[in-house]
Amino acid sequence: QVQLVESGGGLVQAGVSLRLSCAASRGTFSVYVFAWFRQASRKQREFVAAITRSGDGTYYGDPVKGRFTISRDNAKGTVYLQMNRLKPEDTAVYFCAAGASVNYSPLGYNYWGQGTQVTVSS
């Protein structure tokens, strides 16, 4: 019922910031919990961040705590991931996901974007 499209990835130097966006369409944005996952080469898909329907609750994976911030604008139908002080180990394809409740597993989400590549050079 919802389509997700990520944008904002790119090739950057370590220490800089990027903001990823996830635009939702063909669905009711406010009913979904949203999350970001990332998948590096030869690794499992890893939980990055999640946000509740109202935006009052946020959750982060340990590697990004203190550096990344998830937010949502229900009026715009967009979810954001602000990434600060990027490190080479942040290099991955970043995926936006939507579901009924917050989960740390990708199995808990029903809808996925196509992903956007983030590459951080040292």
Side-chain angles (χ1 to χ4, degrees), residues 37-99:
F37 288 80
R38 66 188 185 185
Q39 188 164 20
S41 296
R42 300 188 181 184
K43 293 186 177 181
Q44 297 182 16
R45 192 161 295 189
E46 178 185 48
F47 175 79
V48 176
I51 188 166
T52 58
R53 296 179 183 182
S54 65
D56 63 335
T58 57
Y59 307 82
Y60 298 95
D62 286 341
V64 308
K65 288 180 180 177
R67 297 189 298 119
F68 290 11
T69 303
I70 188 171
S71 61
R72 64 190 292 167
D73 187 334
N74 287 353
K76 298 286 187 181
T78 304
V79 180
Y80 304 97
L81 184 69
Q82 179 67 43
M83 305 186 295
N84 298 327
R85 303 189 305 280
L86 283 162
K87 304 175 180 179
E89 50 263 46
D90 295 319
T91 295
V93 177
Y94 283 72
F95 297 91
C96 178

